[in-house]
Amino acid sequence: MNQAIAPRSRKVRVLATLGPASSDPAMIAALFEAGADAFRINMSHGDQQSKVPIIRAIRAMEERYGRPTTILADLQGPKLRVGRFVEGRIELVKGQTFVFDRDPTPGDITRVELPHREIFAAIEPGARLLLDDGKLVLHVTSHDADRIVTTVTVGGTLSNNKGLNVPDVVVPMAALTEKDRSDLTFAVEQGVDWIALSFVQRPEDLMEARGLIKGNAALLAKIEKPAAIERLEEIVEQCDGVMVARGDLGVEMPPEQVPPLQKRIVEVSRRMGRPVVVATQMLESMIKSPSPTRAEVSDVATAIYDGADAIMLSAESAAGDWPTESVAMMNAIGNAVERDPGHGDRVHFTVMKPDPTTADAMAEAAKGIARTTSATAIICFTTSGSTARRVARERPAVPILVLTPRLETARRLGLLWGTHAVHTRDVESFEEMVAKSKRMALRHGIAKAGDQVILMAGVPFRTPGSTNVLHVVRLTGDELKNYSNEL
């Protein structure tokens, strides 16, 4: 470890997507220093081998700064596309009839191939077909096993292989394609911390990915389909984290419905103790401009006031002209919102009722004790990360210092609100736990001499899910004596 950066003062996390504008080690380090807490690798672009040096650069940076750093691999998912046209494109006119069929012959103004037999089995009269990110809208009038007859409601230019969305029915397609399975296996072998699954429509879609991951990464469900909203709580129950994929939601649903859905997804995820990421077009203008619009700043602030665990940059940091400035702006917005005296009340507008468990009761108590005693931090000992997730769910006013003997756990916590994770040796006794907590609080700048901190752990130690100890201690300031090289 060559240098260390103090824990972030803000509690919301920043997830930055890496890409052509941000894939070299120097830029990745610059994004981290600007405020990125976690990095997203989009498996939709480039081949697998191009991701290897990016992952290695993140891990080298992690060693350099002495902080476990989170890597999320985002799988592409199924892509529904129309076939090709004789002349490369056509112009659809409102009111005309247009047919999708199984014939691979290049299409014309009357028809085109739709190479997805699952849609023919699921489609119903009246359902919408959205083309080219929703720019064109067609309604189904009739169908059989080989043809879907539609009427054009919103016309426009349609060219080869444009994308298709089917928002009104559940398409019986697996969430994982062969490419996704290969990418997932590769990502897990490379040691990424989170796998993001696209095209989730029902909780069953998560099962295959969970089986392939085999516990070697956390699983994040991207909520981007209307069908997923109908079974939201079941999906959240089956995953480790959630992403509000607003871009695709905004294509398949009227855009005015996306803001209330965002609030609902965040609320459900928080209530069920899953970290939730708000994503897509957050600072879109910063792809080309060094500063965002005021509306974009308000959009980011709203997600933070709602209590989202993380806010995400996509093309802004992956392919834009101002990647470090985009991250720095996210960081600045987070700090400004959390300094607002009303921030705490807004974050707690969503009532979090604890589950009837000892661990949940203690997490709720820790938040109250911190407020009453003016403690400066809550310190969690955890193996699996479950104690930290329970405490973060309560959104306490103080930082959460997480001490874990598992590097994998420390890395996965980079998407969790308010946490600063430290990979450290395990403890054997209650006394050792207290002493180490004090030292780590001082070493990482979480507390200083005279401060009180709250400790949470499970006894017996090394037993995941056994949180049953809540302890308040005061620091004297000399706890680091003779411990200069401690891990």
Side-chain angles (χ1 to χ4, degrees), residues 140-195:
V140 176
T141 55
S142 64
H143 69 97
D144 57 32
D146 297 308
R147 297 174 82 247
I148 299 173
V149 181
T150 71
T151 299
V152 178
T153 305
V154 178
T157 302
L158 180 62
S159 55
N160 292 339
N161 306 126
K162 282 298 182 181
L164 173 76
N165 293 80
V166 190
D168 300 328
V169 298
V170 176
V171 181
M173 297 178 69
L176 289 171
T177 64
E178 284 304 315
K179 169 179 165 54
D180 293 327
R181 294 184 185 95
S182 175
D183 286 344
L184 186 155
T185 300
F186 162 80
V188 170
E189 288 174 349
Q190 292 295 314
V192 307
D193 310 299
W194 285 83
I195 299 290

Side-chain angles (χ1 to χ4, degrees), residues 270 343-351 367 394-397:
R270 284 187 56 193
H343 171 255
D345 290 338
R346 292 178 183 272
V347 166
H348 290 109
F349 183 79
T350 299
V351 178
K367 179 183 74 173
E394 298 296 328
R395 300 297 191 258

Side-chain angles (χ1 to χ4, degrees), residues 119-137:
I119 297 177
F120 291 85
I123 204 67
E124 298 174 353
R128 291 170 297 157
L129 299 182
L130 310 179
L131 297 161
D132 193 9
D133 288 336
K135 295 183 179 70
L136 291 81
V137 182

Side-chain angles (χ1 to χ4, degrees), residues 39-307:
F39 295 97
R40 171 178 173 256
I41 297 175
N42 190 347
M43 303 304 293
S44 299
H45 306 299
D47 59 22
Q48 291 176 358
Q49 289 309 306
S50 69
K51 309 296 190 295
V52 174
I54 296 174
I55 294 170
R56 288 177 179 170
I58 296 171
R59 294 307 184 211
M61 185 199 69
E62 174 183 78
E63 183 70 21
R64 173 183 167 192
Y65 289 108
R67 178 180 298 178
T69 303
T70 305
I71 303 175
L72 179 146
D74 195 336
L75 304 181
Q76 176 176 290
K79 293 298 179 185
L80 305 180
R81 300 187 184 278
V82 300
R84 302 179 64 82
F85 294 93
V86 172
E87 297 184 359
R89 65 182 61 230
I90 60 169
E91 194 73 25
L92 292 178
V93 179
K94 180 179 179 180
Q96 81 168 81
T97 297
F98 190 76
V99 176
F100 298 89
D101 58 34
R102 305 283 300 281
D103 183 356
T105 304
D108 54 28
I109 193 64
T110 64
R111 59 154 295 275
V112 74
E113 179 194 13
L114 183 58
H116 304 286
R117 57 194 177 111
E118 298 91 347
I119 297 177
F120 291 85
I123 204 67
E124 298 174 353
R128 291 170 297 157
L129 299 182
L130 310 179
L131 297 161
D132 193 9
D133 288 336
K135 295 183 179 70
L136 291 81
V137 182
L138 297 81
H139 279 80
V140 176
T141 55
S142 64
H143 69 97
D144 57 32
D146 297 308
R147 297 174 82 247
I148 299 173
V149 181
T150 71
T151 299
V152 178
T153 305
V154 178
T157 302
L158 180 62
S159 55
N160 292 339
N161 306 126
K162 282 298 182 181
L164 173 76
N165 293 80
V166 190
D168 300 328
V169 298
V170 176
V171 181
M173 297 178 69
L176 289 171
T177 64
E178 284 304 315
K179 169 179 165 54
D180 293 327
R181 294 184 185 95
S182 175
D183 286 344
L184 186 155
T185 300
F186 162 80
V188 170
E189 288 174 349
Q190 292 295 314
V192 307
D193 310 299
W194 285 83
I195 299 290
L197 186 62
S198 302
F199 209 82
V200 175
Q201 300 183 91
R202 33 185 190 231
E204 293 81 6
D205 290 334
L206 298 162
M207 295 174 63
E208 182 183 2
R210 181 76 76 187
L212 291 172
I213 291 171
K214 297 177 181 176
N216 293 309
L219 179 60
L220 182 142
K222 295 170 66 176
I223 307 299
E224 55 191 349
K225 307 286 291 181
I229 300 297
E230 296 176 12
R231 303 185 67 181
L232 180 61
E233 294 201 6
E234 297 173 80
I235 289 171
V236 175
E237 180 69 31
Q238 293 299 319
C239 66
D240 302 304
V242 176
M243 180 184 291
V244 188
R246 306 182 307 174
D248 287 291
L249 272 178
V251 170
E252 300 212 355
M253 308 188 76
E256 67 272 13
Q257 292 185 17
V258 175
L261 280 178
Q262 173 179 316
K263 290 183 180 294
R264 181 185 166 198
I265 297 167
V266 171
E267 186 273 330
V268 169
S269 302
R270 284 187 56 193
R271 176 162 47 82
M272 300 182 73
R274 305 296 193 273
V276 55
V277 181
V278 176
T280 319
Q281 298 175 329
M282 301 209 82
L283 298 176
E284 186 84 353
S285 65
M286 288 193 75
I287 295 173
K288 294 298 182 182
S289 170
S291 60
T293 67
R294 302 302 177 265
E296 289 168 339
V297 173
S298 294
D299 177 41
V300 174
T302 295
I304 299 170
Y305 278 120
D306 287 344

